[in-house]
Amino acid sequence: MAEAANFKAIGTRPIRPDGIDKVTGRANFGADLNLPDMLHGKVLRSPHAHARIKRIDLTKAQAMEGVYAVISSADFPQEVTSSLSKNILARDKALYHGHALAAVAARTPRIAEEALERIEVEYEVLPPVLSLDDAMRERAILVCEDLRTNDDESSPPSNVAATQRFERGDVTKGFAKADVIVQEEFRVPSAHQGYIEPHACVATSNPGGRVTIWCTTQGPFEVRSATAGVLNKTVSDIKVIPSEIGGGFGGKTVVYLEPVAVRLSELTGKPVKMVMNREEVFRATGPASATLCKIKVGAKKDGRITAATAWLAYEAGAFPGSPVGPGCMSVFAPYDIDNFLVEGYDVLVNKPKVAAYRAPGAPQSMHAMECAIDELAQELEIDPIDLRLKNAAKEGTIAPYGPKFPPIGLVECLEAAKRHPNYVNKPSEEVGRGVAVGFWFNIGMQSSAEVNIAEDGAVSIMEGSPDIGGSRASMCLMAAETLGVPYETINAHVGDTESTGFCNLTGGSRTTFATGLAVVKACEDVIAQCKARAAMTWELDVEQVDWRDGQAVPRPGVNIDVEPLSLADIAKTMSRTGGPLLGRASLNAQGAGACFSVNWTDVTIDRETGKVDVKAFTAIQDAGRAIHPSYVEGQMQGGAVQGLGWALNEEYIYDDNGVVENASFLDYRVPVASDMPMIDCEIVEVPNPSHPYGVRGVGETPIVAPLAATSNAVRDLLGFRINDLPLSPPNVLAAIDSTD
Amino acid sequence: MSKIYVSTTVNGRPEDVLCEAHQTLLDLLRDEIGLTGTKEGCGTGDCGACTVLLDDRLVCSCLVLAPEADGKEITTVEGIADSQDGLHVVQQKLLEHAALQCGVCTPGFVVAAKALLDRDPNPDEKTIRYWLAGNLCRCTGYDKIIRAVQDAAQELTPTK
């Protein structure tokens, strides 16, 4: 980019402002806060995947010394009947192994745990429904007896909570024109977000009904509204103070503990701390939907796609609300297809309610489509990148989900891939290579920012986006660029729900885009004030003053002989020129700008064990503009390895009764350092016209393509396709054995 | 429940603590001494977020009972930076390479990587990856962590 060279701060790689605290153990995460006179809360969870709760007797637990309160769902407002409330504490039925039933507040965690054992629950154990096939069959066992598809009272109860369907053109005619048709089914298992920090909070309530919650969350304002909703309070009753957050990936956008801790605090009059253990995290939070995706794609001999259909079923867990919607909207997003039909099903099963996981919905459906595209490439003997270029969406293409694409970078990423030395160098015989593209919509939503100038000219940003991956550094870089002052003079702070303006969660790849936009506009507000102060000092009209390189200067042609006034100069005298300098902005950001990527994986396979080793991985992605390139690469690399974990190993394992058998990091194996190669990155920059510096979100797209890229690499090496994930040693070995 | 007296040294300073028999070294550090830099990610020795040095041996402090720390020397993430010289080179290089995103696994990586370089000042990539295989990071994909440790090693043992 020609103008990129003119940036002073943007595109540099300084150390993040919160860095020293995070490498020295000073940063305070969710479980690090303790308050005087604090109690510890623990949750009793269902040992059954599906059971009617006939009776809960809390009395023996309540009688224990050191126990201050024991609650069940009866202690929650009964008029609130939301899924969220019923997920936080089960009412008439336990709906998954791990579903919360009751909670204890006690003097120590140990006493609380012992008290849980004295809670008596009488169950009527029911057969669980554990798969999409079982949930969708006729006369299926029902997770929820009064749920009807799409709330249609005329239809019988069903596990299918919702359906959706959208189409363009005529797929029958489109397939009739095709020279080649690929039709396959793909299953992707549930994967957990796997953040290293478990959920944790401290809540305290005063007799006036005021509540303060410290917690680890992607969205303190969402914690406030969700907790208020469950407890039938108003949001102004609740203040949420976000701690540092130890990973989220979408999984810390919902509440589990906070309303329970608040109720326990209300009943005891003391602060209550609740921290999940890892087993609880696996059993009762997240995960991403397990899916069944049926794809059919037809193309002409030259590779032009003529028609495509997708039938997508997503497990929602025990309550409605899988990301099948974005799964449907993303499945064909990279391609310009005249004739398509997409059908989606949101399906209840006796498993934990799914939560967002990085590009929620897209990895599963796009895994299916990108595998199908790979099959087309094989059949047509066209290079997989050329085949995608032939059909790629570009500026002006009508996206399958409705809008016309503004400038997007898919073609640029594909062309960069073709040129990349890692792609030009063809793998040896023993190595398989697979290509796939990734996509995510990105969102804007609401953000606020304040920029305070200290009396020495130091800049302090107050914003509301929890920093989950270095976003404070990006905010400071955008402020440095806008104000024209050194990065080192700027700090960024994440406020609580009463010290900063409303801000939606850190999610949807929105933070650098939307909160960044608010920071830029708040800095522009500071500049306007500085120009006014300089004009006052020089007795000029404000229109006669410019802001250049961090200084107020008379506009060219204004005949006055004065020294420029720096931000520090103006700050020094601000008490005499009108008081504190405080820039503000709040907005509902539009035009987030979709993000595309191209990935390829090089793998080897041990044919005796079925183990797939990733030998090399290359990620190319459009960042619009990389504010801090190292943190953009970090998103690409981290997302890649999460995607590789999902492709290769990660899955929930249930027994026939719906009991999770691998609820630990020992048995649910996420990638470790020795599993992975370096992740090579190339950032493509197709600026987003809706952001002053061209930013588009980069956080979610990276997890999408690795699933299919890995499947395609394994197919390349084996010569046949394994449709279902994970490509774990037993699954790959079984597939190899079945073809021998 | 009767308490157990534990006399230990943490980051060079003597610490005498009363603890309960079931408490772990991690509980002792976080809840009794107030050093919350060491994190609990799993409680089962699988994630490495609670890594500390116990008499110069890397351990998951969640798998060590607090009474076992009696008479031992413990180094936590809070003891890695020098109050005079500032950050350890491993900490500095993790920052320069943007090798942390959320940062919750970082204390474990700092302690483990320093222990590696103390033992082997010039490890190759494979050695670093296997040494750090007991520390889970879900954010970075490990790339920048490995490069940071390589860079730290290079700084500790200048070639030529």
Side-chain angles (χ1 to χ4, degrees), chain A residues 480-505:
Chain A
E481 193 69 49
T482 308
L483 292 169
V485 301
Y487 172 86
E488 292 72 24
T489 65
I490 308 174
N491 208 339
H493 310 272
V494 179
D496 60 60
T497 55
E498 291 180 6
S499 66
T500 183
F502 185 88
C503 188
N504 283 121
L505 77 183

Side-chain angles (χ1 to χ4, degrees), chain A residues 218 250 253 440 442-445 468 504-511 700:
Chain A
Q218 292 173 242
T253 58
W440 187 244
N442 295 336
I443 56 172
M445 306 216 294
I468 207 162
N504 283 121
L505 77 183
T506 294
S509 303
R510 63 176 291 279
T511 298
E700 288 165 291

Side-chain angles (χ1 to χ4, degrees), chain B residues 13-52:
Chain B
R13 295 180 63 87
E15 295 282 355
D16 293 349
V17 188
L18 288 174
C19 67
E20 292 180 13
H22 64 82
Q23 282 185 298
T24 64
L25 174 56
L26 178 60
D27 297 333
L28 179 104
L29 292 168
R30 288 180 56 85
D31 300 337
E32 306 303 328
I33 301 177
L35 290 174
T36 56
T38 305
K39 305 302 180 191
E40 178 164 347
C42 68
T44 50
D46 298 314
C47 81
C50 67
T51 302
V52 301

